[in-house]
Amino acid sequence: MAHIHPLANGLSTDHPVPGLPFVDDSHIPLDKGPEAIEAVGRNKGDGMWGRYDPNHRGGGWHAFTTDPLDHSLGWSVRYHPDHGRTVLLMRDDDTSSLHSTWDGEQLLFRSGGYWWNGSTWYRPGQVWDPVEQDYEKRKARAAVTVSAADMLDRRADPARASVLEVADIDAEASAPVVENWGDHLALWAARRAEHDGALPLERCVVDLATPELTGAQLIGVPEMAELGGITASTLRAYISRGNSEVPQPQALVGGRDQWARAVADDWVEARQRSYEGVRAVMSAGDRDQLSRGAAEVRDHFAADFHGTLWGRPDVRKRWVLRARNEDSVREIADALAWNVASSLDRVLPSHLLGPTVESAVLHDFAEAIDLDHKVQARQKKQQEEKDWLHLWVSRPVAGMLAWFIRHHPESAHHHIGEITREAHTRWEIPAKDTLSTLHRYASLEGKLSKEDAEPFFALLTPPVKND
């Protein structure tokens, strides 16, 4: 997904984006709440949509709607009960993306992705935290919030500024840049002074100041590419394609993109932690760009095939021209395929796979039983006999179980027996219920055929005891 950029500030915003014009937003019911904003565009016609959501992490709500006057444009609003609201005019296709980005504690963004949560400024999120399932929050160094009161200049003249209409904004063009933005900020401040209850200018956030964004800390494409271990032309190609893995530049100096060194360092770390970075670390470093394990498998079969094709006289003689025919090639192909099939345990060792599947199934059983107990507790039901009909196996585990049965049936037979024993020991689950659950999920979710499943599980059914 490419980076998203607002086109203009709504005149009713509390936190104007520096450099962007102000557009009249009086035709959007901003003061009537998120439901009213959503209703402007939701189900109103082709090319129109609207939505709002409460913000459980950051407080308040966020909403967007297609502009009713120009369906190529849309409005995005982020509201917080203590910090007011941000109102932005966007390309309509970008409103849902910004809406998803606002589904957290971010209140506003500045300088190429630096964001503010009401008290602290953070650098653009780039390094993924697998535990939190979110990007790491890295504070901007010594950041200071710049308010509208700080930005207003006595020399600014509102008469030299104007408020635009929606019709003045072209969704296909780049965001218009306002040179005399101080005059426009003064006009915005004068307009909001006419409304009671407006957020004080001292609390209207415009920008941030941090040592990270000083000129000495900014770098261009050549330095950025060198840090990332790629060529400048490759980085330019990424940027031209709108690759969102490349962070937004923090400044434009002399028509050239510039990044904060701190942001570039985070980008390098993110690249190292990405799939491509992991692949590079675990690469065998050979001609085929395989992982080390895959290269070992290749080398094993290369030696095996060489031994079959050249080391056996009965096969080598088939290289004689008169022996080269379809039947001979098929026989050799069958021999090579047999080598692969008989070596399956080298590719995915059953002595490792078996305990893994066993643990995964028991983990799913434990979750199912825990949920079943919670449901019973809520319903205040007391049952004399336990009901295990709610056991389940997740789809990935069921798929792996089915693969295990089809490829390593002897080992699968043993480990399913262990699952049955452990389920009975730990939770007193009857063997027939465990086997029925595994049979059902291996067939439905794992796509194990009926021809394979029924005879296999029949052999697992405990023998009938004769008293």
Side-chain angles (χ1 to χ4, degrees):
M1 182 181 69
H3 297 298
I4 51 179
H5 303 278
L7 297 175
N9 294 297
L11 187 59
S12 299
T13 191
D14 291 319
H15 308 295
V17 178
L20 294 184
F22 292 89
V23 173
D24 183 9
D25 53 21
S26 59
H27 60 299
I28 304 297
L30 298 170
D31 294 327
K32 295 184 179 180
E35 297 92 342
I37 297 172
E38 176 190 83
V40 171
R42 194 176 185 90
N43 297 320
K44 296 299 183 181
D46 291 340
M48 296 189 70
W49 193 244
R51 175 171 176 169
Y52 85 90
D53 288 283
N55 193 292
H56 300 292
R57 293 174 60 186
W61 48 264
H62 47 296
F64 71 89
T65 183
T66 304
D67 186 88
L69 306 177
D70 185 342
H71 296 178
S72 67
L73 299 171
W75 294 93
S76 292
V77 184
R78 173 71 169 94
Y79 171 78
H80 188 278
D82 297 326
H83 301 292
R85 65 188 175 195
T86 294
V87 183
L88 296 172
L89 184 63
M90 315 282 297
R91 295 176 181 85
D92 191 53
D93 291 340
D94 290 341
T95 53
S96 60
S97 297
L98 181 58
H99 190 79
S100 299
T101 304
W102 265 336
D103 189 25
E105 57 181 305
Q106 298 92 335
L107 294 179
L108 49 85
F109 300 89
R110 295 292 185 270
S111 299
Y114 278 77
W115 59 276
W116 185 67
N117 68 351
S119 60
T120 306
W121 284 96
Y122 297 91
R123 293 201 295 272
Q126 297 186 82
V127 180
W128 185 254
D129 183 341
V131 176
E132 296 293 335
Q133 285 296 292
D134 201 352
Y135 292 105
E136 286 189 9
K137 294 166 54 178
R138 299 188 170 182
K139 292 182 180 180
R141 183 161 52 93
V144 175
T145 299
V146 180
S147 71
D150 299 326
M151 291 282 289
L152 284 173
D153 190 333
R154 293 180 179 178
R155 294 170 296 179
D157 184 0
R160 293 196 296 261
S162 63
V163 176
L164 302 182
E165 301 294 331
V166 168
D168 297 321
I169 303 298
D170 183 359
E172 300 301 321
S174 300
V177 178
V178 180
E179 298 296 339
N180 59 326
W181 195 72
D183 297 331
H184 289 257
L185 183 67
L187 177 59
W188 164 82
R191 289 288 190 91
R192 67 186 288 104
E194 300 171 359
H195 300 281
D196 295 333
L199 199 68
L201 294 178
E202 292 78 11
R203 295 175 56 194
C204 294
V205 177
V206 176
D207 211 345
L208 81 156
T210 167
E212 295 181 8
L213 296 174
T214 59
Q217 293 296 316
L218 296 178
I219 62 175
V221 167
E223 299 90 344
M224 180 87 162
E226 183 178 1
L227 287 174
I230 58 178
T231 65
S233 60
T234 298
L235 179 56
R236 290 190 181 96
Y238 288 166
I239 296 170
S240 66
R241 292 198 297 264
N243 188 329
S244 62
E245 293 179 1
V246 179
Q248 297 181 59
Q250 276 62 65
L252 191 67
V253 180
R256 298 178 183 273
D257 291 334
Q258 300 280 297
W259 289 265
R261 176 60 188 259
V263 173
D265 288 340
D266 288 349
W267 173 65
V268 172
E269 183 178 344
R271 281 176 56 81
Q272 293 170 343
R273 293 173 178 265
S274 68
Y275 290 152
E276 291 76 10
V278 173
R279 187 182 303 118
V281 168
M282 296 303 294
S283 171
D286 64 2
R287 64 187 184 280
D288 296 323
Q289 298 182 336
L290 296 173
S291 66
R292 293 169 189 171
E296 290 173 2
V297 172
R298 178 204 60 199
D299 294 343
H300 165 75
F301 285 114
D304 200 12
F305 292 170
H306 182 269
T308 299
L309 297 172
W310 191 254
R312 288 173 47 183
D314 61 318
V315 175
R316 186 168 59 188
K317 68 182 182 180
R318 295 178 184 273
W319 298 122
V320 178
L321 184 60
R322 56 186 171 80
R324 296 181 194 172
N325 54 62
E326 184 177 354
D327 290 338
S328 295
V329 172
R330 181 176 290 109
E331 289 179 18
I332 295 172
D334 288 345
L336 297 178
W338 181 87
N339 284 343
V340 175
S342 64
S343 301
L344 192 60
D345 207 54
R346 283 191 68 95
V347 180
L348 189 55
S350 59
H351 73 280
L352 300 178
L353 177 61
T356 302
V357 172
E358 184 180 325
S359 297
V361 169
L362 292 172
H363 176 271
D364 284 351
F365 276 16
E367 284 197 340
I369 293 166
D370 183 57
L371 179 60
D372 190 60
H373 286 170
K374 290 178 180 178
V375 171
Q376 291 185 30
R378 285 200 302 268
Q379 296 176 344
K380 298 181 180 180
K381 290 184 177 180
Q382 299 295 328
Q383 298 181 354
E384 294 182 1
E385 296 183 2
K386 293 183 175 67
D387 180 5
W388 302 111
L389 296 179
H390 301 296
L391 289 176
W392 74 68
V393 179
S394 62
R395 179 174 293 180
V397 175
M400 195 70 256
L401 176 65
W403 190 96
F404 194 24
I405 292 170
R406 294 185 65 244
H407 292 81
H408 296 290
E410 305 94 332
S411 185
H413 185 280
H414 167 75
H415 286 285
I416 290 175
E418 288 295 301
I419 292 171
T420 303
R421 180 189 63 79
E422 182 65 21
H424 184 268
T425 301
R426 193 184 301 183
W427 300 295
E428 300 180 10
I429 303 177
K432 65 179 181 63
D433 290 345
T434 295
L435 294 174
S436 173
T437 299
L438 297 181
H439 186 167
R440 181 169 66 255
Y441 279 92
S443 299
L444 295 177
E445 301 289 359
K447 308 302 181 185
L448 187 66
S449 69
K450 182 178 180 181
E451 293 75 12
D452 289 335
E454 290 191 352
F456 178 82
F457 279 97
L459 295 175
L460 284 160
T461 303
V464 178
K465 295 182 180 179
N466 294 320
D467 295 331

